[in-house]
Amino acid sequence: MKKLSIIIPCYNEEETIRPFLEVTKVVENQMAEEVVFDYIFVNDGSKDATLEVLREVSREFENVHYLSFSRNFGKEAGLLAGLERADGDVVTVMDADLQDPPEMLIDMYGKIKEGYDVVGTKRVNRQGEPAIRSFFAKVFYKLMNSVSDTEIVDGVRDFRLMTRQVTDSILKLKEVNRFSKGIFSWVGYKVTYLPYENRERVAGQTSWSFWNLFRYSIDGFVNFSEAPLNLATWAGFASFVFSFLGILFIIIRKLTIGGSIAGWASLVTIILFIGGLQLLALGIIGKYLAKIFLETKKRPIYIIEEESE
Ligand code: UDP
Ligand code: MG
């Protein structure tokens, strides 16, 4: 009998955990001949009754376990904590809100048996999502894939089933700044994606504001691409070439027709332009420096306050 570990990061999910288990238990029964399920809920410092609900369900079902963080560490930390605990032959990560359809696990497991190492899921549409959000998501994936060597496919969810070997490989990446979409893709292996229609949450609300997502995408760039740094280098180089030409022009003009005080407007423009470029370049370098700073501190990625036996 194979063991399937299911990792569910939860932040303020008091209303969704029970419906989630109800639906997933149905799938568990359907697959009972082949696999045993093992649930690991990670309470990511929820401000509602999530922890109480988790204590209850872990008493009710012997294959339901939980970890509870001392504060909100973010979904990435929750995923990592779950992956480190999971001891299944196959491992999956799922959202608590039923946006990841549990019944897909059956087909996903079928693909694993066919010989795939990773079976991901991909939304074929973004129905029910604000148009502006979809637009920026598209732009992000376009840009990201044009500047990063790690392919990040549009619409791919964190919801995926992977073998023990893949899970162990993911755990070998010890970085503190974790961008799972990139990490999952970076480890490689034989991957296939199953498509599905987007679903809305069963209850509660998304904890990702537009601003959160924006910052998350900047993290994606900084963690999986050096392009912004190169941009600073190229902008610096270009402005150097232009100012060199400018200096030549000024010297030659002074020697031929003589200097003039006309042109202060262009001078101010140039100063502002160069100043802006320098600040931009400094900002980009600062962004990477901040990441290095955090990495070198080697702080724990999460702190567990309580867990089920
Ligand atoms: N989540 C988490 N910590 C956070 C934010 C979210 O563990 O700081 C969990 C959340 O409970 C859910 C999953 O991550 O199970 C995805 O979050 P959400 O549904 O809010 O994101 P969306 O589906 O809108 O992208
Ligand atoms: Mg969701």
Side-chain angles (χ1 to χ4, degrees):
M1 204 68 145
K2 297 268 183 203
K3 184 172 179 182
L4 165 65
S5 297
I6 305 183
I7 296 151
I8 311 113
C10 301
Y11 179 61
N12 296 344
E13 302 282 6
E14 56 177 7
E15 291 166 278
T16 59
I17 290 167
R18 282 187 178 277
F20 171 85
L21 274 172
E22 248 162 64
V23 180
T24 317
K25 286 276 169 190
V26 177
V27 182
E28 183 179 339
N29 288 333
Q30 286 168 339
M31 296 177 76
E33 286 189 354
E34 285 182 293
V35 265
V36 284
F37 279 36
D38 191 62
Y39 299 86
I40 306 170
F41 286 89
V42 184
N43 174 33
D44 184 16
S46 299
K47 295 192 171 48
D48 63 0
T50 299
L51 181 57
E52 283 75 54
V53 178
L54 288 179
R55 284 189 193 125
E56 280 166 29
V57 291
S58 77
R59 274 196 296 268
E60 264 168 64
F61 306 100
E62 58 164 334
N63 63 347
V64 173
H65 313 280
Y66 69 86
L67 306 171
S68 185
F69 288 173
S70 57
R71 63 168 171 88
N72 180 258
F73 281 91
K75 186 184 172 184
E76 299 289 339
L79 283 181
L80 177 70
L83 287 173
E84 284 177 345
R85 294 300 153 116
D87 59 355
D89 305 292
V90 270
V91 177
T92 184
V93 291
M94 287 175 90
D95 286 5
D97 55 14
L98 284 174
Q99 279 188 301
D100 301 332
E103 63 275 13
M104 287 183 77
L105 285 172
I106 300 171
D107 288 343
M108 288 161 84
Y109 191 66
K111 289 278 176 199
I112 293 276
K113 281 193 294 186
E114 271 175 37
Y116 287 100
D117 301 300
V118 180
V119 187
T121 55
K122 199 166 150 181
R123 293 194 292 187
V124 287
N125 58 7
R126 293 177 162 267
Q127 202 200 340
E129 191 184 68
I132 182 93
R133 199 159 150 173
S134 306
F135 171 76
F136 277 102
K138 280 229 164 67
V139 172
F140 166 72
Y141 285 108
K142 264 241 152 63
L143 272 178
M144 187 73 201
N145 284 316
S146 58
V147 299
S148 174
D149 298 336
T150 308
E151 198 192 4
I152 296 174
V153 186
D154 188 5
V156 167
R157 303 274 303 174
D158 286 344
F159 179 32
R160 55 182 51 231
L161 190 62
M162 47 209 179
T163 59
R164 181 76 255 158
Q165 195 187 5
V166 176
T167 313
D168 289 341
S169 304
I170 287 170
L171 289 175
K172 286 217 181 86
L173 277 82
K174 295 287 181 211
E175 58 218 72
V176 177
N177 296 284
R178 299 187 77 83
F179 184 70
S180 284
K181 278 184 196 304
I183 291 176
F184 286 157
S185 162
W186 188 90
V187 294
Y189 290 103
K190 214 169 143 208
V191 187
T192 183
Y193 294 103
L194 297 181
Y196 76 102
E197 301 263 316
N198 192 29
R199 296 195 181 176
E200 307 219 3
R201 296 183 138 253
V202 275
Q205 49 185 304
T206 175
S207 32
W208 294 85
S209 64
F210 184 79
W211 182 235
N212 275 341
L213 281 172
F214 182 72
R215 286 204 314 223
Y216 183 66
S217 54
I218 298 282
D219 273 353
F221 278 111
V222 176
N223 283 322
F224 275 89
S225 160
E226 280 131 42
L229 278 178
N230 295 337
L231 185 83
T233 314
W234 283 112
F237 182 70
S239 79
F240 166 75
V241 171
F242 281 119
S243 28
F244 187 72
L245 292 178
I247 289 167
L248 277 185
F249 171 75
I250 291 164
I251 292 173
I252 292 168
R253 190 173 64 172
K254 175 86 187 164
L255 295 179
T256 52
I257 39 179
S260 83
I261 48 160
W264 66 271
S266 54
L267 203 67
V268 169
T269 318
I270 291 165
I271 290 171
L272 287 179
F273 176 69
I274 305 279
L277 269 188
Q278 283 170 337
L279 283 181
L280 174 75
L282 268 181
I284 293 171
I285 295 167
K287 200 81 198 136
Y288 282 85
L289 197 71
K291 294 278 174 200
I292 298 169
F293 181 55
L294 281 176
E295 289 295 337
T296 51
K297 283 204 229 185
K298 295 251 177 284
R299 282 187 190 156
I301 298 172
Y302 56 83
I303 294 170
I304 295 176
E305 187 180 355
E306 177 184 326
E307 63 185 298
S308 54
E309 315 73 56

